[in-house]
């Protein structure tokens, strides 16, 4: 039996059952026992169909006779019947519709039954549509209520609207255009099928389907959109069942919310907003008729590209509505005014939006923001977010350029074909390369460098001369950093560049930007509120969806040291308390016997040296490992083990960890931590102990009603609200910029406190800094997905790699979020426990105010109200003068320090704000002051305490 004939008769079997016995549709027949029943059903279905022909006043026998006169031409033109033997079809018609006895029937009912059984197997349940709510589109707003992003499932960009909220004229327009007898039929419209059948015979070309609105809902939501007989068969049965499971109103509501209408809009509500900038309830009859006309073919009748087709289709729909008295006959077929269509193309905030979706699940129990349509009011500052992403991307690329670690793996794209197409278009007025470049979306669509296309690559006496075109139409020479890269570039290759503006005798140029291998993360957190104002989870979201702010655990290195010093301050020590910066060895915790002889911990300073007796302030400012270990062993409790317990308790109270690994390297940052938790701890330092709860969502609304709202009072106090100790720590971290490991940014010290961090073998580089209003945390390192720990390279500390990215971000925060102000002094509560005294920051000794380098320090009072003097509590006075540390940079002539023939000692920042706007100032040497984490050791200076002329200031 002909395969097409099998499929036609199997589909006819489904039609026959649906129309003649809708309550008893069978989905499986026995190929032997049920042949007679199937033959009876086919005959009954044919008789039912002939009645529809009679109603339409069409003689089916005459139609078939006409078709048989030129059956070869006919079957060739009608796509739906192409390849069918019409003679066999005519014989089958006589057998089942005219009930004639024929010899050698072309129909094998066994094959028909087998195909039908296979197609009708495992039909979806129409009852599931009863309470169905289709996926929706959620809108993410920033902290200024501007739209940041839309979240929706693929092919489901919709906003659900109730049928009652759709004007009757708009509903009628869709019924007139798609299913005139919607309220009369029971799922299938036989008369509609007849009209489609006749149309396909008389006007071969684009075949008509004759599907009802119910069938379209079944196709869109249950059985799929395959252009096959199997799908049509299943669609008929499911549509029939839907009519018994749902009301007509429910079916129409599903239809109007599920149909695709162009402009990336599914459903009437999203289409109304996309085409007319208004909700569906505000649509006029003509606007509704235009949208109804699009249902037949949103691309073919697209009013943006084919306005004449759209107008003709509109006239047709309005005519149908007028014929059925649905609208006034005076309606004119004039295309209504459309709003400009701008496809949504987001180029920033992808890691942030991903985090919002996860947070919505955690705080509001919403498994998926696409399950319905929500409005999410987020904490993100869009302008600041762009700066943070651009700064991180530029900083990572410059690190690899400055260290020679960059690896160019080819251009981002080649647009030769697009240029040729544009050049052949006579309507194009701009250069073909410019048009092609503007319409090219590169793979890393969230990178904030400019895209440029190679227009010329010539070789001359001075090497390669490469010119690139930019999206603004300008043409500049390209600096490729290496001749090998230049030789590999071809015409119409697209690369990323950073434009260097003309300055003096130097002409403007474009510097090639190369995707870095190194990764990083950055977060801007509101100190008091915990609002996540900006977050970059990596170099680029398309390259890696891992959000390293919240999903990665990295060793914090020295950025964890403030915990130990906070524990010391809470214990009653003061910033001028002396501690020995000298070698120490600690036995493993809990070990005995032979095991105790193994696993001893002997930390070292970054520079390998020791400074003798130094103050807690200098130890933290200069990130001295030995001093921190000595403080653990002798300053926090009666043993190092108990001292570790105090630090661990504080770490868990600060919510840095749920469990503390009890081993001594913990105090130097050996246990991994999340960047977001570290930032929250530093925000608590700025707040004198009040730890905010980081969050990205302020409210979630559904249908104008708030279903979740963040509690603005959600604050956790650390350290029993010991505000005085926290302020002392805050002041010490301010000194990190003024005198310590971050003094490359010394000019920021009146406004910023913070801490650099570098882990063992320079695997991680950190800087976490805070102002009065925000905390900025930055991490740089390699992902090490292979299980190894790839180093950033010798000498690549937090002060060299992470700190240079801090200033552009904090300057942007001052410009875009809160104004620049000097760090606040102690609060009233803290000041009740504090008193000020002028001291020498080097020795911790009292010094006359205004003399030399005298420094105002904050000291805690004892119960009697006097200064609680703990300067010599750990180190005796005699020991302190014997082992007092050597000179710092103010004691003698400054010395530049160099590593690997790179000189560090220049106070110029690698890319001062706002480099992300103006472009780089040329390839930097990445020079800075030496980080005191890599300070060279100096010999102890012996001083006789009774020496008459010893220096006091």
């Amino acid at each position: 039996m002909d395969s097409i004939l099998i499929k036609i008769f199997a589909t006819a079997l489904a039609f026959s059952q649906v129309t003649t016995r809708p309550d008893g549709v069978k989905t499986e027949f026995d190929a032997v026992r049920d042949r007679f029943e199937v033959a009876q059903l086919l005959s009954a279905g044919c008789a039912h169909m002939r009645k529809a022909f009679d109603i339409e006043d069409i003689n089916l026998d005459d139609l078939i006779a006409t078709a048989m006169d030129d059956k070869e031409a006919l079957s060739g033109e009608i796509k739906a019947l192409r390849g069918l033997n019409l003679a066999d079809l005519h014989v089958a018609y006589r057998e089942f519709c005219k009930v004639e006895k024929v010899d050698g029937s072309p129909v094998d009912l066994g094959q028909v039954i087998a195909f039908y059984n296979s197609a009708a197997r495992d039909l979806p349940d129409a009852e599931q549509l009863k309470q169905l709510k289709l996926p929706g589109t959620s809108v993410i707003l920033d902290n200024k209520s501007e739209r940041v992003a839309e979240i929706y499932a693929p092919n489901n960009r919709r906003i659900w609207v109730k049928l009652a909220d759709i004007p009757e004229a708009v509903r009628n327009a869709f019924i007139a255009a798609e299913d005139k007898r919607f309220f009369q039929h029971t799922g299938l419209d036989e008369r509609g099928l007849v009209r489609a059948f006749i149309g396909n015979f008389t006007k071969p070309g684009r075949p008509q389907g004759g599907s009802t609105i119910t069938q379209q809902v079944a196709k869109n939501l249950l059985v799929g959109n395959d252009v096959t007989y199997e799908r049509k068969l299943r669609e008929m049965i499911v549509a029939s069942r839907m009519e018994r499971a749902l009301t007509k109103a429910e079916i129409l509501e599903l239809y109007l919310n599920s149909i695709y209408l162009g402009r990336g809009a599914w459903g009437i509500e999203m289409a109304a907003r996309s085409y007319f900038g208004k909700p569906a309830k505000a649509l006029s009859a003509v606007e509704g008729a235009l949208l109804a006309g699009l249902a037949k073919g949103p691309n073919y009748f697209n009013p943006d590209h084919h306005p004449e087709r759209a107008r003709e289709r509109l006239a047709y729909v309005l005519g149908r509505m007028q014929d059925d008295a649905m609208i006034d006959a005076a309606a004119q077929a004039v295309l209504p005014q459309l709003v400009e269509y701008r496809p949504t193309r987001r180029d920033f905030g992808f890691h942030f939006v991903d985090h919002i979706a996860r947070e919505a699940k955690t705080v509001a129990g919403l498994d998926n923001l696409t399950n319905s349509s929500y409005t999410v009011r987020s904490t993100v500052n869009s302008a600041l977010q762009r700066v943070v992403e651009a700064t991180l991307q530029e900083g990572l690329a410059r690190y690899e350029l400055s260290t020679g670690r960059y690896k160019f793996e080819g251009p981002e794209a080649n647009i030769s074909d697009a240029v040729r197409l544009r050049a052949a278009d006579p309507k194009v007025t701009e250069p073909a390369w410019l048009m092609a470049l503007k319409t090219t979306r590169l793979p890393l669509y969230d990178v904030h460098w400019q895209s440029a296309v190679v227009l010329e690559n010539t070789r001359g006496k001075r090497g390669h001369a490469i010119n690139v075109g930019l999206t603004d139409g300008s043409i500049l020479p390209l600096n490729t950093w290496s001749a090998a890269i230049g030789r590999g570039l071809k015409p119409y290759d697209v690369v990323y560049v950073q434009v260097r503006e003309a300055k003096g005798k130097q002409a403007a140029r474009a510097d090639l930007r190369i995707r870095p291998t190194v990764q990083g993360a950055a977060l801007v957190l509101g100190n008091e509120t915990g609002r996540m104002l900006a977050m970059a989870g990596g170099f680029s979201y398309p390259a890696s969806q891992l959000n390293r702010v919240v999903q990665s655990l990295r060793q914090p290195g020295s950025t964890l040291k403030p915990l130990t010093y906070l524990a010391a301050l809470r214990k009653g020590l003061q910033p001028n308390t002396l501690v020995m910066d000298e070698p120490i060895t600690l036995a493993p915790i809990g070990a005995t016997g032979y095991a105790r002889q193994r696993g001893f911990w002997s930390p070292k300073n970054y520079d390998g040296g020791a400074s003798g007796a130094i103050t807690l302030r200098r130890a933290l400012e200069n990130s001295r490992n030995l001093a921190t270990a000595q403080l653990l062993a002798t300053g926090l409790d009666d043993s190092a083990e108990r001292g570790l317990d105090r630090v661990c308790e504080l770490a868990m109270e600060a919510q840095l960890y749920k469990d503390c690994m009890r081993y001594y390297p913990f105090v130097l940052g050996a246990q991994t931590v999340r960047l977001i938790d570290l930032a929250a701890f530093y925000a608590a330092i700025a707040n004198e102990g009040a730890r905010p709860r980081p969050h990205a969502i302020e409210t979630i609304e559904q249908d104008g009603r708030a279903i979740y709202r963040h509690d603005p009072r959600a604050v956790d106090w650390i350290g029993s609200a010991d505000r005085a100790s926290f302020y002392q720590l805050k002041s010490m971290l301010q000194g990190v910029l003024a005198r310590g490991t971050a003094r490359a940014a010394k000019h920021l010290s009146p406004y910023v406190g913070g801490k650099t961090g570098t882990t063992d073998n320079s695997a991680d580089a950190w800087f976490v800094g805070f102002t009065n209003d925000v905390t900025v945390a930055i991490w740089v390192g390699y992902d090490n997905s292979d299980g190894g720990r790839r180093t950033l390279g010798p000498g690549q500390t937090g002060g060299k790699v992470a700190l240079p990215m801090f200033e552009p971000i904090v300057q942007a925060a001052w410009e875009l979020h809160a104004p620049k102000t000097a760090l606040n002094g102690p609060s009233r509560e803290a000041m009740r426990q504090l008193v000020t005294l002028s001291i020498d920051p080097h020795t911790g000794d009292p010094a006359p105010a205004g003399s030399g380098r005298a420094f105002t320090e904050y000291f805690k009072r004892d119960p009697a109200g006097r200064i609680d003097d703990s300067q010599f509590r750990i180190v005796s006075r005699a020991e302190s003068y014997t082992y007092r540390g050597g000179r710092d940079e103010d004691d003698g002539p400054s010395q530049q320090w160099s590593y690997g023939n790179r000189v560090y000692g220049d106070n110029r920042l690698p890319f001062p704000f706002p480099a992300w706007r103006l472009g780089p100032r040329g390839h930097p040497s990445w020079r800075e002051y030496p980080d005191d984490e890599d300070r060279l050791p100096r010999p102890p200076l012996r001083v006789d305490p009774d020496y008459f002329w010893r220096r006091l200031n």
Side-chain angles (χ1 to χ4, degrees):
M1 182 177 177
D2 185 90
S3 62
I4 297 180
L5 204 59
I6 293 173
K7 295 174 182 177
I8 290 175
F9 270 82
T11 307
L13 178 57
F15 170 83
S16 299
Q17 293 190 87
V18 166
T19 55
T20 63
R21 59 176 198 189
D23 294 329
V25 176
K26 291 174 63 174
T27 57
E28 186 175 7
F29 292 92
D30 187 275
V32 178
R33 293 194 306 270
D34 296 335
R35 286 183 179 230
F36 180 75
E37 181 185 0
V38 168
Q40 291 292 99
L41 282 169
L42 289 172
S43 295
C46 190
H48 187 90
M49 193 67 173
R50 285 178 67 90
K51 291 180 182 178
F53 274 85
D54 292 341
I55 294 172
E56 290 290 324
D57 198 21
I58 296 172
N59 188 305
L60 182 58
D61 293 335
D62 290 345
L63 179 67
I64 292 177
T66 302
M68 292 301 294
D69 288 340
D70 192 10
K71 54 181 176 291
E72 292 183 2
L74 183 64
S75 61
E77 289 181 4
I78 301 176
K79 294 180 180 179
L81 301 178
R82 188 170 295 161
L84 175 66
N85 186 328
L86 288 182
D88 288 346
L89 182 61
H90 185 235
V91 173
Y93 167 73
R94 288 169 45 216
E95 179 180 2
F96 293 101
C97 292
K98 304 196 74 174
V99 197
E100 295 179 4
K101 187 172 183 180
V102 299
D103 295 325
S105 172
V107 179
D108 183 343
L109 289 180
Q111 295 184 50
V112 172
I113 291 172
F115 182 87
Y116 175 88
N117 289 347
S118 175
R121 186 179 296 121
D122 299 326
L123 285 173
D125 184 6
E127 289 283 347
Q128 65 183 285
L129 297 178
K130 192 71 176 174
Q131 303 297 328
L132 177 68
K133 290 296 182 183
L134 297 173
T137 298
S138 292
V139 178
I140 310 296
L141 305 178
D142 67 9
N143 62 357
K144 293 181 173 58
S145 297
E146 297 292 331
R147 182 175 300 224
V148 173
E150 290 180 348
I151 300 179
Y152 52 89
N155 299 331
N156 280 282
R157 182 173 174 260
R158 74 166 52 77
I159 297 174
W160 186 276
V161 59
K162 294 179 181 178
L163 186 65
D165 293 331
I166 302 173
E168 183 179 10
V170 176
R171 287 181 263 159
N172 287 338
F174 279 88
I175 292 171
E178 291 295 303
D179 192 356
K180 179 180 179 180
R181 298 184 63 248
F182 172 69
F183 289 106
Q184 286 77 48
H185 65 66
T186 57
L188 272 68
D189 182 6
E190 299 89 333
R191 295 172 61 181
L193 285 172
V194 168
R195 286 192 297 271
F197 182 73
I198 299 305
N200 287 336
F201 265 86
T202 58
K203 295 180 181 179
R206 187 179 182 186
Q208 300 179 39
S211 293
T212 64
I213 283 177
T214 310
Q215 286 177 273
Q216 292 184 54
V217 173
K219 177 185 68 175
N220 292 338
L221 303 182
L222 293 178
V223 300
N225 201 29
D226 297 337
V227 186
T228 63
Y229 285 93
E230 291 94 325
R231 189 268 296 171
K232 198 69 176 178
L233 184 157
R234 294 167 66 83
E235 175 190 296
M236 287 180 181
I237 299 174
V238 173
S240 176
R241 291 176 174 177
M242 281 176 55
E243 289 280 347
R244 271 163 287 286
L246 282 75
T247 66
K248 288 289 186 178
E250 289 171 332
I251 293 172
L252 186 58
E253 184 173 310
L254 278 169
Y255 173 74
L256 291 174
N257 281 287
S258 64
I259 190 169
Y260 178 65
L261 295 170
R263 283 196 174 189
W266 274 260
I268 185 71
E269 179 70 14
M270 186 63 79
R273 298 185 186 194
S274 182
Y275 284 97
F276 305 112
K278 62 175 70 171
K281 64 182 179 182
L283 289 174
S284 68
V286 174
E287 291 168 339
L290 175 65
L291 296 180
L294 293 173
K296 186 176 181 64
N299 293 324
Y300 187 81
F301 296 109
N302 187 317
D304 299 310
H305 302 299
H306 308 291
E308 188 56 32
R309 291 180 190 170
R311 191 198 65 76
E312 292 176 359
R313 181 66 178 164
L314 172 63
Y316 167 78
V317 176
L318 291 174
R320 293 286 297 269
M321 296 176 72
Q322 290 167 3
D323 292 344
D324 294 335
M326 293 176 172
I327 57 170
D328 188 346
Q332 297 295 314
V334 178
L335 289 178
Q337 184 67 40
L338 305 178
V339 297
E340 184 181 359
Y341 177 48
R342 293 183 178 178
T344 54
R345 273 195 174 185
R346 186 158 49 96
D347 62 354
F348 78 106
F350 290 92
H351 282 114
F352 203 110
V353 171
D354 257 12
H355 177 72
I356 285 174
R358 286 190 295 272
E359 186 172 302
K361 183 175 182 178
T362 302
V363 301
L366 301 178
D367 287 338
N368 201 322
L369 285 175
T370 63
N371 287 342
S372 185
S373 295
Y374 304 99
T375 299
V376 181
R377 298 186 182 276
S378 77
T379 60
V380 67
N381 181 315
S382 293
L384 183 58
Q385 176 70 28
R386 288 182 179 276
V387 176
V388 169
E389 290 180 8
T391 301
L392 182 67
Q393 289 163 0
E394 180 71 358
L396 296 177
R398 288 197 179 199
Y399 154 74
E400 289 202 342
L401 285 170
S402 67
T403 57
R405 291 191 169 201
Y406 64 87
K407 184 179 181 182
F408 184 70
E409 296 186 350
E412 299 296 321
N414 185 282
I415 56 174
S416 299
D417 293 339
V419 172
R420 281 194 295 270
L421 287 174
R422 300 289 181 181
D425 187 350
K427 298 179 182 179
V428 173
T429 57
E430 291 183 310
W433 66 262
L434 180 57
M435 291 290 293
L437 182 63
K438 285 181 177 180
T439 56
T440 297
R441 195 181 196 202
L442 298 180
L444 303 187
Y445 41 78
D446 62 347
V447 168
H448 297 275
W449 295 317
Q450 293 190 54
S451 56
V453 58
V454 176
L455 301 178
E456 183 183 23
N457 188 347
T458 59
R459 181 177 296 180
K461 294 181 178 179
R462 297 184 178 180
H464 285 269
I466 304 175
N467 290 326
V468 294
L470 307 180
T471 53
D472 62 1
S474 61
I475 299 175
L476 295 175
L478 177 68
N479 171 30
T480 61
W481 309 111
S482 110
I485 294 176
R487 287 192 298 269
L489 291 176
K490 304 185 299 295
Y492 303 122
D493 279 345
V494 180
V495 295
Y496 286 118
V497 300
Q498 188 76 283
V499 174
R500 179 176 177 177
E501 303 293 342
K503 185 176 181 181
K505 295 182 179 180
Q506 286 188 332
R509 76 181 190 200
D511 286 340
L512 178 68
R513 283 294 176 261
I514 301 169
R515 296 186 188 189
T517 304
V518 71
Q519 276 292 352
L523 174 67
V524 182
L525 186 69
N527 288 341
E528 293 186 3
T529 63
R531 291 176 180 143
M532 299 168 68
L533 301 171
M535 173 175 61
F539 170 73
S540 171
Y541 181 84
S544 171
Q545 286 76 57
L546 178 67
N547 188 337
R548 294 157 187 84
V549 172
V550 295
Q551 293 178 308
S552 285
L553 291 168
R554 303 293 298 211
Q555 289 184 342
S558 297
T559 56
L560 197 73
K561 285 178 182 173
L563 266 177
T564 302
Y565 290 82
L566 178 61
L569 295 170
R570 292 183 61 203
K571 177 72 174 177
L573 304 183
Q574 304 276 23
N576 76 328
T577 300
L578 294 172
V579 64
M580 296 304 298
D581 184 50
E582 65 179 10
I584 183 174
T585 297
L586 296 175
I589 296 174
T592 59
Y594 176 72
R596 186 175 179 83
Q597 299 175 22
R598 306 177 62 188
F600 280 83
W601 183 50
S602 300
K604 292 181 174 58
N605 282 328
Y606 186 91
D607 55 29
S611 300
I614 60 173
T615 64
L616 295 188
R617 171 178 286 278
R618 284 196 63 217
L620 181 58
E621 289 177 350
N622 296 293
S623 201
R624 306 301 286 175
N625 291 342
L626 293 178
T628 305
Q630 291 277 2
L631 180 62
L632 172 72
T634 60
L636 304 185
D637 214 310
D638 56 9
S639 68
E641 187 171 343
R642 290 177 179 270
L644 179 61
D645 290 340
R646 302 292 83 75
V647 179
C648 283
E649 290 166 4
L650 201 53
M652 290 186 287
E653 191 177 350
Q655 300 179 46
L656 286 165
Y657 304 101
K658 292 182 179 179
D659 296 301
C660 177
M661 298 176 66
R662 294 185 74 252
Y663 70 127
Y664 295 127
F666 172 83
V667 297
L668 301 185
Q671 184 172 341
T672 56
V673 70
R674 295 195 309 166
L675 183 147
I676 190 172
D677 297 327
L678 196 60
F681 171 60
Y682 275 76
I685 297 173
N687 296 337
E688 293 184 358
R691 181 192 183 276
R693 296 183 185 175
H695 64 283
I697 298 175
E698 295 285 16
T699 63
I700 302 176
E701 300 168 7
Q702 185 179 28
D703 299 327
R705 176 178 58 88
I707 61 173
Y708 167 77
R709 190 180 304 276
H710 175 76
D711 182 1
R713 299 165 298 179
V715 172
D716 302 305
W717 285 91
I718 305 171
S720 305
D722 185 356
R723 301 181 71 129
S725 294
F726 268 99
Y727 181 77
Q728 289 177 308
L729 179 62
K730 173 181 173 181
S731 173
M732 292 162 72
L733 291 175
Q734 189 175 8
V736 173
L737 283 85
R739 293 169 297 277
T741 58
R743 66 179 179 271
K746 183 176 182 178
H747 56 290
L748 296 178
S749 63
Y751 318 99
V752 174
K755 184 72 184 73
T756 57
T758 311
T759 61
D760 186 45
N761 202 28
S762 296
D764 305 89
W766 296 81
F767 183 75
V768 186
F770 55 83
T771 69
N772 284 326
D773 302 289
V774 300
T775 292
V776 179
I778 301 168
W779 166 82
V780 179
Y782 290 94
D783 278 341
N784 302 323
S785 57
D786 58 358
R789 294 184 74 231
R790 185 179 177 186
T791 175
L792 291 166
Q796 300 303 314
T797 63
K800 292 184 178 65
V801 180
L803 178 61
M805 303 181 206
F806 174 78
E807 181 165 2
I809 293 175
V810 77
Q811 292 282 13
W814 283 327
E815 178 184 338
L816 301 169
H817 175 65
K820 181 179 180 180
T821 55
L823 280 178
N824 293 331
S827 63
R828 288 184 180 180
E829 294 85 350
M831 201 61 212
R832 292 193 189 103
Q833 304 174 54
L834 296 173
V835 64
T836 60
L837 181 67
S838 181
I839 66 163
D840 182 325
H842 182 71
T843 64
D845 296 334
S851 62
R853 57 185 178 192
F855 171 83
T856 300
E857 186 67 90
Y858 286 83
F859 291 88
K860 282 186 187 172
R861 304 171 185 266
D862 62 16
R866 297 185 297 269
I867 292 179
D868 187 3
D869 186 5
S870 65
Q871 183 178 6
F872 302 105
R873 185 174 297 178
I874 301 175
V875 178
S876 70
R877 188 182 301 270
E879 285 180 307
S880 72
Y881 288 112
T882 302
Y883 297 106
R884 178 162 288 177
R887 305 167 299 166
D888 68 7
E889 76 272 11
D890 293 330
D891 281 331
S894 62
Q895 279 188 306
Q896 279 195 334
W897 178 87
S898 65
Y899 179 82
N901 295 323
R902 286 192 176 87
V903 176
Y904 297 82
D906 188 342
N907 196 32
R908 291 176 297 172
L909 285 172
F911 49 105
F913 180 83
W916 61 276
R917 293 175 178 166
L918 303 179
R921 307 286 194 251
H923 178 55
S925 61
W926 208 269
R927 296 182 294 178
E928 302 170 24
Y929 281 135
D931 202 327
D932 268 12
E933 288 173 329
D934 32 275
R935 155 170 290 199
L936 294 175
R938 294 178 176 142
L941 181 66
R942 289 180 60 84
V943 179
D944 186 342
D946 298 323
Y947 188 62
F948 182 77
W949 290 283
R950 78 178 178 87
R951 190 161 53 113
L952 296 177
N953 53 64

